[in-house]
Amino acid sequence: MTPQVHRTLLITPAYRDAALALITAVAGEGQSGMLDVPVGAEQDEETAVTHLMSTGNILEPFAALLPLDEWDGEQYVRVQEPNYDTIIAASGGAATQEGLESLFAEVVVTKDGWKETLTNLRLSICDP
Amino acid sequence: MLVRVGSLITRMTREFLIDQLFEKGQQGNWVDYAPGHAFADTGLSVPAAPGEGIAGYLDRSPNGNDGTQAVITARPILGRVPVGGRRNLLERTEDIQNSYWIKVRGSATTSSLFTEDSTASNSHYMRRQATLDAPSTVFQDVEVKAATRSWFFLGRNAGGGNTGAYFNAETGEFGTVYGDVEDYDAWQVDDGYWNVRLKYGPATTQHNFDICLASGNEGRIYTGDGVSGGHVRRMQLAVSEGPYQKVVSQYDITEAGVPDVWYARYDGADDNLPDNQPIPAVENGCFVVIGRKGIWIDNEWVNTSGLLSVGPTTYTGGPAGILPVVGDVLSIIWRDEPLTEAEKAGLVSYGIKRGSAGLFELGAELVVNGDFSDGATGWSVGTSTVVDEALVIPGLFNNNVVQGFTLAAGQTVIARLEVKAKTSTTQTARLRIGTGDYLPAFVPNVGRYAWAAISGTDNTGFRMANGSGDPAFTLDNVSVRPLTLVTP
């Protein structure tokens, strides 16, 4: 089997559809349920959803295409840039460098578990 | 002969459960998260390995209710751990080439050979930092074998030279022992290796597990030649003494001669398996989750939705938060009729043999007059009123519904309630047991609700408050019962 690695992924809601289209193009069908956990600021009952989250294993070759962020104690810092060329090729030209840069600016991808990630960012899973 | 009798009993018990729970054509499902039943693909053809997401399982009942999860991040992870649990706090214990092990002025040239570099007058070692929950006595084990270097210095923070022991893997003799090493021992194992064990006193929570090459006794600092080295393998750091456990990752831990406990770890965020699986409506059934921390038996399970999901924290029709209570999931069984007492006993026996800690039993009811048959007696309800033996809440904002009772802090409880009517729309309510955090808010639509909750820090009992807005509804059948682990 293809090796799997853990990732927690966060994205702002406006970019979810674009992200899912990209995931389908690169990782294949069946992933439309990703990025469906709403998260927002902690202890604020009325807060709108600020991000959508997925957490768990993904295939290592897919992870290699994504950016990677690490917590430096204050913020997530990008330590690996996405592989733009491969992603654009996999999208059949639908994705552009400019579009991807906008998308990945709105994304956090980390090896941290979801609880650690949300604690770092002072976010929590939203009530309905 | 005794072994054969025991084996026979085990086999009979297992066959009884599998064959007879569904022998009258009952609908249901028997999920075992174990080899042969858990798969890494939704086609159910590639067995899942420890650390991989479980894409699907084969139903062990005759009903064919196999379950799948297409979304890769929503799959629980398959794991295994020896019966009795994890003791070795390290990982990659047989692969020093992995980056988990920090190599300082040296490198791993094979999975077990550490080779020094040519740095002058310095230490050459490999390290892994571990953090204990609290200062504790620890046992540091490693197997070493002489190669071109025969002396090792094994220590805690040995790079700093603080504490540890010199050992000669050619002769099997210790050299100088430093610092807070309380005891030490070594014995020969296979292939020319020595198992060296150091016992440290509870000085610190930080433990740098260090293995240094040495040029001789007290020869930790020397000029490397760039080619010499020694063999190291099977590292173990534990707060209790015991045999070696091989740890590949947090999901793959084994111990020679000890059976594996196989489990699925639901992450509590987005894992769902099965995910909206079509099933027949269940009016009066049972749902059993066998977890490592304990077995949960819901023998009044109702699920008329025609769909079943398990995860992220519960199952369809189950109490929110029950999966974290039972821990890693070994097995799930549901059926469209309740279990008999004999079947319950059989399932508990089976679950404990699989590696569960025991049975979660519900204790006595803590709520007085939870059905409001005695008006509002026992309750503080603000402006709410009891009508037809149910509490009509005109709005929860500033009208908390409260009943005090004694409950130990940290006690897990099952809280239940029923919403019989509703006049508000999307406003939410929320529940708190004791003075801890409120449980996630919910929209109080007509129906039954249940939570597995952990009591807060004192005895303020049950409190229902508004989550958002001013929800108006009719409340009935409030129940809070402690959940206690029993080991039959």
Side-chain angles (χ1 to χ4, degrees), chain B residues 258-386:
Chain B
V258 179
D260 296 326
V261 175
W262 289 87
Y263 62 84
R265 180 166 297 170
Y266 287 76
D267 65 11
D270 61 357
D271 286 354
N272 267 296
L273 178 66
D275 183 17
N276 283 319
Q277 176 187 32
I279 65 167
V282 178
E283 301 278 358
N284 180 26
C286 64
F287 200 99
V288 180
V289 185
I290 299 175
R292 285 181 64 202
K293 294 180 184 174
I295 302 164
W296 165 251
I297 297 179
D298 179 350
N299 216 24
E300 297 175 353
W301 184 50
V302 177
N303 178 8
T304 56
S305 70
L307 297 171
L308 175 65
S309 290
V310 178
T313 69
T314 189
Y315 52 91
T316 308
I322 192 65
L323 292 184
V325 171
V326 303
D328 295 328
V329 177
L330 314 178
S331 186
I332 293 171
I333 301 102
W334 67 265
R335 193 173 72 171
D336 62 357
E337 66 180 39
L339 298 169
T340 65
E341 288 302 315
E343 289 170 336
K344 267 197 221 176
L347 271 175
V348 171
S349 173
Y350 170 78
I352 290 172
K353 283 174 189 160
R354 281 286 315 275
S356 180
L359 172 67
F360 282 116
E361 284 193 342
L362 281 172
E365 178 61 64
L366 297 170
V367 172
V368 175
N369 188 32
D371 61 1
F372 300 97
S373 59
D374 191 17
T377 300
W379 291 95
S380 169
V381 298
T383 59
S384 302
T385 55
V386 174

Side-chain angles (χ1 to χ4, degrees), chain B residues 204-234:
Chain B
T204 176
T205 57
Q206 277 302 125
H207 191 112
N208 291 332
F209 189 112
D210 289 351
I211 305 162
C212 299
L213 298 171
S215 59
N217 186 31
E218 302 190 15
R220 183 175 58 81
I221 306 298
Y222 66 97
T223 297
D225 61 16
V227 294
S228 295
H231 293 283
V232 295
R233 68 178 191 184
R234 296 180 182 170

Side-chain angles (χ1 to χ4, degrees), chain A residues 28-52:
Chain A
E29 297 292 332
Q31 306 306 313
S32 59
M34 283 183 68
L35 300 168
D36 68 343
V37 179
V39 300
E42 277 181 337
Q43 298 175 344
D44 187 341
E45 297 147 18
E46 305 296 334
T47 297
V49 173
T50 60
H51 293 81
L52 297 162

Side-chain angles (χ1 to χ4, degrees), chain B residues 93-112:
Chain B
T93 58
E94 296 186 18
D95 182 12
I96 67 170
Q97 288 181 301
N98 191 282
S99 59
Y100 177 87
W101 292 98
I102 299 167
K103 274 75 76 175
V104 179
R105 291 178 287 277
S107 60
T109 43
T110 73
S111 63
S112 65

